[in-house]
Amino acid sequence: PKPNGDPTAMLMKSYACQRRTPLKHYNSFLTEALEILSQNAEYNDNEGRSVAFRRAASVLKALPRRVRSMQDLRCLPCLGDHSQRVIKEILEDGSSREVESTRQSEQYQAMKALTGIFGVGVRTADRWFREGLRSPDDLIRTGQQLNREQQAGVQYYDDLQKPVTKAEADVISDIVEKAVHAVLPGAEIQLMGGFRRGKEVGHDVDFLITHPEEGKEEGLMPKITNWLKEQGLLLYQKTTRNSYLEKMDGPARASSNMDRFERCFSIFKLQKSHQSEASGWRAVRVDLVVSPYSQFAFATLGWTGSKLFERELRRWAGQEKHMSLSSHALYDSKQNLYLRAKTEEEIFAYLGLEFIPPSERNA
Ligand code: ATP
Ligand code: MN
Ligand code: MN
């Protein structure tokens, strides 16, 4: 039956990139539960299931009011049988048995602790879990072989578990700006990721760096990291060179979510502002990305997130527009050409989407 006079049902589009999703919403009591099931599916290498739960949660984040009954969900997209069962149980009983038993399970808790280590993905964590390991302490105790990244991850585990505040992100921004301008005057630096979307805390701080004169940005990262090292501000860094070649990488590769910019995954040594605090500094994860000016709009869109929003943008481009979107470029398969853009607004327009500002990309 067609919904009559239900504005929620009529407005809710099915791709997250067609919707406005604010940071604060009315349904975290449901979305947190669905996201636990999504996370658990990811730990079990079931990507389809993981995305399904995440999409369901995302629809609820975009609702303009709290869900009070199953009636409120009529005609909403992306809510599969399983998600609906979980929601129903929470509405009726206050919690879902499946969610609570997942939350308490040894596997979920161990996978969360192990994948929470910088440099450890689901595959490695799963192997360790099956070997009986449960925590970073277990890795140290049993003398596991760790790569350089994972060693840093274990060493700074406690600090890196603590959320980074906006105030800390602002201090890091000043440092990064100083470093970049010391080695390349005229370069532009932009705060990306969760903080660009208006989050008050994050798991890291992300920056995108470019220079209006194309080519000036080449080989910039080692200069930045050397400057930071000399100042004693880096605890760890791994730089990867830019490996993007339009002719070879696009459009075939363009839909992959891993981009090929020059980048640096690092851990900063951040001095604390209050001398009274027990130790004078803390470790903070920082991601630096360098983009050529001509790709800056695409890089900006690609590094703002959220991860689901990005995923949905690429899915929309491919399925609805026969285009291929990456953090480097937008390729139109019908016209066989790359679409140039200087701003995020132009990219949304090419995609036939209403512009969604960063603060409403919290899908
Ligand atoms: P948090 O507050 O937890 O850091 P976040 O949204 O900033 O949340 P990040 O993991 O820092 O999450 O990622 C920020 C953005 O960068 C996301 O949009 C993500 O798609 C993009 N991104 C992260 N890693 C890569 C990568 N290796 N290649 C391409 N894009 C990436
Ligand atoms: Mn981030
Ligand atoms: Mn990041």
Side-chain angles (χ1 to χ4, degrees), residues 271-288:
Q271 292 302 320
K272 288 184 180 166
S273 46
H274 301 291
Q275 291 298 325
S276 57
E277 291 185 74
S279 70
W281 58 272
R282 67 159 291 188
V284 179
R285 275 272 299 112
V286 176
D287 287 339
L288 305 172

Side-chain angles (χ1 to χ4, degrees), residues 113-128 131 133 135-137 139-140 143-158 160-161 235-238 265-267 285:
L114 294 171
T115 57
I117 303 169
F118 173 56
V120 178
V122 166
R123 213 169 290 171
T124 306
D126 184 60
R127 178 164 49 80
W128 285 337
E131 289 170 11
L133 304 167
S135 68
D137 282 342
L139 301 179
I140 299 168
Q144 289 298 308
Q145 277 286 341
L146 302 175
N147 62 32
R148 204 170 65 87
E149 192 177 26
Q150 294 162 346
Q151 280 172 31
V154 169
Q155 185 175 356
Y156 302 114
Y157 187 76
D158 291 339
L160 299 186
Q161 288 293 105
L235 296 165
Y236 169 90
Q237 71 88 20
K238 186 177 179 212
F265 296 132
S266 74
I267 302 175
R285 275 272 299 112

Side-chain angles (χ1 to χ4, degrees), residues 14-306:
S14 68
Y15 287 81
C17 55
Q18 297 175 286
R19 307 188 293 252
R20 294 173 176 271
T21 313
L23 190 58
K24 297 207 173 93
H25 59 89
Y26 303 89
N27 290 293
S28 25
F29 73 114
L30 297 173
T31 60
E32 278 165 15
L34 293 168
E35 281 173 344
I36 285 183
L37 298 183
S38 168
Q39 191 64 260
N40 194 53
E42 200 179 310
Y43 293 157
N44 286 293
D45 198 26
N46 192 336
E47 200 191 350
R49 195 177 158 100
S50 173
V51 175
F53 282 127
R54 209 164 284 279
R55 282 204 192 112
S58 183
V59 163
L60 303 182
K61 291 180 191 178
L63 284 175
R65 62 186 76 87
R66 185 180 167 104
V67 173
R68 303 209 177 264
S69 78
M70 294 304 280
Q71 285 292 305
D72 296 344
L73 305 178
R74 271 176 318 151
C75 306
L76 289 182
C78 308
L79 296 177
D81 290 343
H82 198 154
S83 294
Q84 292 201 35
R85 265 203 320 277
V86 171
I87 295 167
K88 188 159 184 280
E89 213 183 325
I90 296 174
L91 290 176
E92 287 171 359
D93 306 339
S95 66
S96 142
R97 277 161 299 170
E98 186 184 2
V99 172
E100 295 318 311
S101 71
T102 302
R103 208 199 295 269
Q104 302 304 323
S105 80
E106 193 178 17
Q107 188 203 15
Y108 180 82
Q109 292 190 355
M111 288 298 285
K112 197 173 150 86
L114 294 171
T115 57
I117 303 169
F118 173 56
V120 178
V122 166
R123 213 169 290 171
T124 306
D126 184 60
R127 178 164 49 80
W128 285 337
F129 176 73
R130 284 185 282 107
E131 289 170 11
L133 304 167
R134 299 289 178 264
S135 68
D137 282 342
D138 289 349
L139 301 179
I140 299 168
R141 199 172 38 75
T142 57
Q144 289 298 308
Q145 277 286 341
L146 302 175
N147 62 32
R148 204 170 65 87
E149 192 177 26
Q150 294 162 346
Q151 280 172 31
V154 169
Q155 185 175 356
Y156 302 114
Y157 187 76
D158 291 339
D159 267 3
L160 299 186
Q161 288 293 105
K162 286 183 216 136
V164 183
T165 64
K166 180 66 168 68
E168 288 170 325
D170 289 338
V171 175
I172 305 249
S173 294
D174 289 343
I175 295 171
V176 169
E177 212 152 286
K178 221 172 147 196
V180 172
H181 286 150
V183 298
L184 182 63
E188 294 173 10
I189 301 121
Q190 207 182 133
L191 186 60
M192 307 302 303
F195 288 113
R196 181 161 189 252
R197 301 197 307 277
K199 281 178 70 175
E200 280 146 26
V201 293
H203 97 282
D204 69 356
V205 196
D206 308 285
F207 294 95
L208 183 59
I209 303 158
T210 191
H211 192 285
E213 253 177 84
E214 187 112 350
K216 282 261 166 122
E217 81 292 345
E218 273 175 42
L220 179 57
M221 198 71 83
K223 293 179 195 157
I224 299 171
T225 55
N226 281 336
W227 190 93
L228 291 166
K229 258 183 257 171
E230 281 164 17
Q231 307 284 318
L233 294 167
L234 273 190
L235 296 165
Y236 169 90
Q237 71 88 20
K238 186 177 179 212
T239 296
T240 313
R241 287 206 311 264
N242 181 346
S243 58
Y244 180 76
L245 294 161
E246 191 172 273
K247 287 206 178 66
M248 282 170 64
D249 289 316
R253 262 218 179 93
S255 63
S256 154
N257 64 338
M258 285 296 286
D259 67 53
R260 302 166 77 78
F261 291 118
E262 181 174 52
R263 79 172 79 221
C264 176
F265 296 132
S266 74
I267 302 175
F268 272 45
K269 181 174 182 174
L270 181 66
Q271 292 302 320
K272 288 184 180 166
S273 46
H274 301 291
Q275 291 298 325
S276 57
E277 291 185 74
S279 70
W281 58 272
R282 67 159 291 188
V284 179
R285 275 272 299 112
V286 176
D287 287 339
L288 305 172
V289 182
V290 172
S291 151
Y293 205 62
S294 60
Q295 296 170 26
F296 190 64
F298 297 98
T300 301
L301 182 58
W303 278 82
T304 299
S306 69

